[in-house]
Amino acid sequence: HALVQDAAYQSLLKSRRQQLHARIAQVLEERFPMTAEVEPELLAHHCTQAGLHEKAVAYWHRAGQRAFARSAAPEAVAQLSMGLEVLRGLPEGLERDRREVDLQAALGGALMTKATGAAEVGRAYARARELCRGLGDTARLFPVLWGLTVFHINRAELPLAVEAAEEMLRLVGQDEDVAVRLGSHRAASTAFYHFGQLRRAQIHLEETLVLYDRERTRSLSLVYRTDFRANALNILSLTLL
């Protein structure tokens, strides 16, 4: 039965197949809105096949985020990679660059669960940093610099880790958001601790604990893949020791 279905599908003209996928995506969005929330990969597939690149990229990104949130890292990597592939179909410009930053940053985080110091992790974050600098997008740059800090620490490239963390500290004055300040102090404390600059690490660890608020910073656990308070207390105890 499946073979018959495949044969029938392949016999359709590409334009007709695209129309059908577009119609399916439209029906799912309009009549089954919960599907977009719980199964964004399904919408992503139909939008991709329909040639609706902009929608497809958004759904692949959402699918990757959902997969990563439930610790399904291989699925997240596959879905985010598919998003980057489809992204090539969008016209060049600022909006495409912003979308790529989000995909590359999410991909770097998903890849880290496999091997924190793997070369592909560095490539994803480096590309995201390059795009952020071109865009002048400081908000998107902070989690990317955090990822680079952790990446370089795990490769024992400590001067590069300190460089990334110090870039965060230099930029933090431009954005008083507590999440940005917290992430910057946490990255700096990690880099300085591993670099042996314990007094500097202690200062930033203590500032992390001052800024931490469970309710206000709950969403950061997913972005930065760590609980800031638990992690800061752990490293602070070692620093003081």
Side-chain angles (χ1 to χ4, degrees):
H1 186 68
L3 291 175
V4 173
Q5 284 184 325
D6 290 341
Y9 178 79
Q10 294 300 328
S11 69
L12 295 171
L13 292 174
K14 181 180 179 181
S15 59
R16 180 54 179 159
R17 292 201 301 266
Q18 287 183 320
Q19 290 174 358
L20 291 172
H21 282 290
R23 178 57 179 156
I24 292 170
Q26 181 183 5
V27 169
L28 288 173
E29 287 179 323
E30 293 177 355
R31 301 185 186 179
F32 306 96
M34 281 302 297
T35 301
E37 295 297 323
V38 300
E39 293 185 84
E41 63 276 9
L42 181 60
L43 272 296
H45 166 73
H46 287 296
C47 289
T48 299
Q49 295 301 316
L52 302 172
H53 297 126
E54 188 171 350
K55 280 189 174 185
V57 168
Y59 280 125
W60 283 124
H61 182 216
R62 190 183 303 178
Q65 288 180 310
R66 279 183 55 82
F68 185 63
R70 64 176 188 272
S71 300
E75 288 87 345
V77 169
Q79 290 160 351
L80 294 167
S81 297
M82 190 64 190
L84 287 168
E85 183 69 26
V86 177
L87 186 72
R88 297 177 183 176
L90 293 178
E92 294 184 1
L94 297 179
E95 185 56 34
R96 173 173 148 172
D97 288 349
R98 291 188 188 99
R99 289 179 180 273
E100 185 177 352
V101 169
D102 293 339
L103 287 166
Q104 294 284 10
L107 179 61
L111 288 168
M112 267 192 178
T113 62
K114 178 180 177 182
T116 311
E120 56 265 35
V121 174
R123 285 194 293 269
Y125 281 125
R127 174 60 177 163
R129 177 172 60 182
E130 176 189 349
L131 290 167
C132 283
R133 287 174 172 173
L135 291 166
D137 194 327
T138 303
R140 282 180 167 86
L141 182 57
F142 278 99
V144 171
L145 289 172
W146 164 266
L148 283 169
T149 301
V150 176
F151 167 72
H152 288 304
I153 286 173
N154 281 274
R155 289 174 67 91
E157 298 168 345
L158 300 180
L160 292 175
V162 170
E163 179 184 312
E166 288 184 330
E167 183 176 351
M168 292 180 76
L169 291 175
R170 287 194 301 272
L171 293 171
V172 73
Q174 302 172 19
D175 193 329
E176 296 304 316
D177 182 78
V178 65
V180 168
R181 290 157 57 203
L182 190 60
S184 301
H185 286 296
R186 191 60 198 88
S189 65
T190 303
F192 292 142
Y193 169 78
H194 285 90
F195 204 50
Q197 298 179 0
L198 301 183
R199 177 56 185 155
R200 296 182 73 184
Q202 180 183 347
I203 291 171
H204 291 289
L205 286 163
E206 291 174 345
E207 188 64 26
T208 298
L209 293 172
V210 169
L211 289 170
Y212 181 87
D213 180 282
R214 184 179 180 184
E215 294 304 318
R216 292 178 64 192
T217 59
R218 184 186 300 273
S219 62
L220 295 182
S221 296
L222 179 58
V223 176
Y224 291 96
R225 300 171 305 284
T226 185
D227 180 274
F228 280 89
R229 185 171 187 274
N231 198 278
L233 289 171
N234 178 39
I235 301 299
L236 181 59
S237 67
L238 296 173
T239 300
L240 294 173
L241 180 64

